Amino acid sequence: MVYPTQAIINEVGPRDGLQNEKTPIPAALKIELIERLAAAGLTSIEATSFVSPRWVPQLADGAEVLAGVPRRPGLRYTALVPNLKGFEAARAAGADEVAVFVAASESFSRKNTNCSIAEALERCAPVLAAAAEAGMPVRGYISCIAGCPFEGEVSPARVGRLAGELHAMGCHQISLGDTIGVGTPRQIRAAIKAAAVHVPVERLIGHYHDTYGMALANVHASLEMGVFRFDSSVAGLGGCPYAPGATGNVATEDLAYLMRGLGIETGINMNKLVAVARWISAKIDRPAQSALALAWREQG
Ligand code: HMG
Ligand code: MG
């Protein structure tokens, strides 16, 4: 196959990674993490979320974090929002982009957002309208594209329909989330194929949690389908507090190593990125969940 010359990596560690940490992390440490990620070459960073602080207390300091992060041309910050209230807070805090989220499973939708899939879509509509007026791009996440912690397998056709609805509502990119990391390349290909019926493939993003160690295989399967945008978390941080058993996203450093080996440009400095993975893992007192954090030897 012919690989793309470039892949776009969205670093979601500060949001998807840290949201699952039980011990409160000071805003200053979150800001330093983002500074170090930017210095390692990440240019698209999901910095925080503006959700109910009762549901995700760890990210209640989103405005403080966005007020402290470095700003320069080409460096962009996304904030995850569940509704108009979240959008308004994200905009006031200076997010460059927001991300809305729905699930491909009714049970997970209820657990994560206390509403049905249809209601979650309804909550997205005013966000998209307000964002269009403000000239802000909106990403759309679909969770549980391969499996749900409560319902098991999820139909690709449902993923495809939701991708089409989010795209038709105005989401410029659609992130396909294997929230609990159960998917294997066969399922991921089926989900991408179903989504690509409704959304140009270059607007799809692979968002794969690595719970079952399948994330890099799923990334490669996605490349074969023409997807070149991926979400990842430095040090493989995280998981979703409302998805029992889910661990973090594919580690950004492992993803970057794969891309480098395939001759795909990411703009990432491997030495600096692995150093960030080791540093944040030490700071939050947990082993880094990546192969590179163990294996990498500094290269000149
Ligand atoms: P609810 O309790 O049904 O909502 O929660 P409500 O409208 O009745 O509001 C309850 C309270 O929350 C009110 O405050 C609201 O003002 C407040 P009170 O009057 O009780 O003091 N509230 C807010 N506060 C701040 N910011 C807001 C906001 N909205 C309401 N935006 C809600 C519904 C959706 C708000 C809640 O369920 C929620 O916040 N859920 C988010 C859960 C979450 O963040 N999950 C993790 C992110 S998703 C994920 O990780 C998956 C992903 O990575 C992709 C993948 O891996 O698949 C994206
Ligand atoms: Mg996620």
Side-chain angles (χ1 to χ4, degrees), residues 119-274:
E119 285 163 338
L121 281 168
E122 274 167 35
R123 287 178 189 171
C124 294
V127 173
L128 279 145
E133 200 159 304
M136 262 170 93
V138 182
R139 288 219 272 151
Y141 279 105
I142 304 171
S143 291
C144 299
I145 61 148
C148 164
F150 313 103
E151 292 178 15
E153 268 213 42
V154 165
S155 115
R158 182 180 261 189
V159 174
R161 272 198 306 277
L162 278 172
E165 285 186 65
L166 287 172
H167 188 242
M169 287 168 81
C171 291
H172 74 125
Q173 289 165 5
I174 309 296
S175 183
L176 301 175
D178 182 8
T179 317
I180 55 169
V182 287
T184 55
R186 186 181 54 81
Q187 289 162 295
I188 298 301
R189 273 196 291 267
I192 292 171
K193 196 171 161 203
V197 171
H198 306 278
V199 183
V201 75
E202 63 273 15
R203 292 183 177 271
L204 298 176
I205 304 171
H207 178 108
Y208 308 134
H209 286 256
D210 199 29
T211 318
Y212 288 79
M214 293 293 112
L216 282 181
N218 292 336
V219 165
H220 196 268
S222 307
L223 287 169
E224 288 175 336
M225 304 281 294
V227 173
F228 58 87
R229 300 178 188 275
F230 299 98
D231 296 338
S232 59
S233 281
V234 66
L237 289 173
C240 173
Y242 296 99
T247 59
N249 297 85
V250 64
T252 310
E253 56 275 21
D254 291 356
L255 178 63
Y257 182 83
L258 174 66
M259 296 299 166
R260 196 180 76 149
L262 297 175
I264 302 172
E265 184 52 53
T266 61
I268 286 171
N269 177 312
M270 292 299 305
N271 288 335
K272 287 188 181 170
L273 181 60
V274 175

Side-chain angles (χ1 to χ4, degrees), residues 12 15-16 19 46 49-56 59 80-87 89 100-102 108-115 123 141-145 175-180 207 209 231 239-242 249:
V12 296
R15 194 281 300 171
D16 204 341
Q19 73 182 8
E46 193 157 292
S49 64
F50 291 91
V51 301
S52 162
R54 278 202 273 131
W55 284 63
V56 182
L59 300 187
L80 184 78
V81 302
N83 51 24
L84 193 57
K85 186 176 173 121
F87 170 78
V100 293
F101 52 111
V102 300
F108 184 72
S109 183
R110 292 232 166 258
K111 294 276 185 200
N112 197 37
T113 50
N114 201 24
C115 67
R123 287 178 189 171
Y141 279 105
I142 304 171
S143 291
C144 299
I145 61 148
S175 183
L176 301 175
D178 182 8
T179 317
I180 55 169
H207 178 108
H209 286 256
D231 296 338
C240 173
Y242 296 99
N249 297 85

Side-chain angles (χ1 to χ4, degrees), residues 23-35:
T23 312
I25 298 170
L29 184 62
K30 295 170 179 161
I31 292 167
E32 190 175 352
L33 171 62
I34 292 169
E35 282 168 352

